[in-house]
Amino acid sequence: MSRIWLPVLLGLICVYAQQCPEKNGRFADPRQCDKYIECEDGVATEKLCPDGLLFNDKARFFSYPCSYPTDVDCTGREATQPPQPSGDCPHQFGYFRMGADATQCGQFMNCADGRGYVFDCPEGLAFDSTTLQCNWPDLVAECDAEGFLGFTCPEEKVSSLGPAGFSASRYFRSPDNDCTKYFICENNRPRMYRCGVGRAFNEFINTCDGPENVTGCA
């Protein structure tokens, strides 16, 4: 072998050795969160997760290594590939809240390979982009709970003998005369509930009751 090529070959071997801390495994790129190095028998191959997914260094070797952002810690390697939007999807993969403003919180889109599929949260819940789950609207920062639910908790009268502020829970019958629907105000923020089939909310006992016991609901 030529003496000129020998140093080059040795240099390449050193690069691969540095990229593969172990003979087999997957290892995070030090700068980019959706990029990783896959090592097989000491040979390193640079790979990239699909747009919208990130490399999960906690995934087992024989499982898929790319996960949604909520499952990955990107501290120190926050860079990602440029977005690849298509249609209604800002990324090829991911969950995204729908709605033009903060009062439209109940729908989200699941994007898979660039195709968007619309889903509804259970009634009364809002989609939280930080956890990718449906939650009480008052706990979702980007949701206007009052506008979304169409209900604002009445101002609470605080006794001069008691502490200032609001009580933990207050119950209210739905103002739209829907006997099965009611609201509970937690720290003066509304949450919507429904009674089961054949039941109606009784505001005098703050629970669901037979409709014959609730005025206007028999």
Side-chain angles (χ1 to χ4, degrees):
M1 180 180 293
S2 169
R3 293 183 178 180
I4 297 177
W5 286 104
L6 184 58
V8 175
L9 179 60
L10 292 174
L12 290 174
I13 293 174
C14 290
V15 169
Y16 282 131
Q18 290 175 358
Q19 290 182 333
C20 289
E22 298 178 18
K23 187 176 181 180
N24 294 291
R26 301 189 186 102
F27 307 95
D29 181 88
R31 293 175 296 275
Q32 189 166 327
C33 198
D34 54 3
K35 184 187 293 186
Y36 62 98
I37 303 298
E38 185 171 274
C39 294
E40 294 186 10
D41 294 327
V43 178
T45 303
E46 187 178 89
K47 294 193 174 183
L48 191 65
C49 290
D51 171 44
L53 301 182
L54 304 173
F55 173 65
N56 188 351
D57 59 359
K58 301 295 189 297
R60 295 183 178 181
F61 186 74
F62 293 105
S63 62
Y64 190 59
C66 301
S67 302
Y68 290 106
T70 52
D71 299 323
V72 180
D73 182 5
C74 287
T75 303
R77 53 189 186 97
E78 291 83 3
T80 56
Q81 63 185 296
Q84 303 171 29
S86 59
D88 296 321
C89 293
H91 293 276
Q92 290 293 298
F93 287 85
Y95 290 86
F96 307 97
R97 186 178 74 86
M98 299 184 65
D101 57 50
T103 65
Q104 299 172 316
C105 315
Q107 285 189 321
F108 63 95
M109 178 174 289
N110 176 18
C111 290
D113 203 18
R115 294 186 177 183
Y117 304 89
V118 178
F119 293 88
D120 294 311
C121 286
E123 185 183 20
L125 299 185
F127 181 70
D128 191 336
S129 298
T130 60
T131 62
L132 304 185
Q133 296 179 343
C134 295
N135 201 353
W136 295 113
D138 61 290
L139 300 180
V140 178
E142 57 193 3
C143 183
D144 175 358
E146 289 76 11
F148 172 57
L149 297 176
F151 182 84
T152 300
C153 294
E155 183 178 353
E156 183 179 13
K157 295 180 180 180
V158 181
S159 170
S160 59
L161 300 178
F166 299 98
S167 62
S169 300
R170 294 183 294 146
Y171 294 72
F172 297 94
R173 186 173 175 175
S174 176
D176 61 6
N177 295 319
D178 184 341
C179 293
T180 66
K181 184 167 68 174
Y182 63 101
F183 295 89
I184 297 180
C185 290
E186 300 284 354
N187 297 315
N188 210 39
R189 303 298 306 282
R191 296 180 182 180
M192 198 211 83
Y193 292 79
R194 277 198 183 276
C195 295
V197 177
R199 306 283 284 175
F201 178 70
N202 188 330
E203 60 189 320
F204 295 104
I205 58 176
N206 287 339
T207 190
C208 295
D209 199 356
E212 67 278 3
N213 299 324
V214 181
T215 303
C217 294

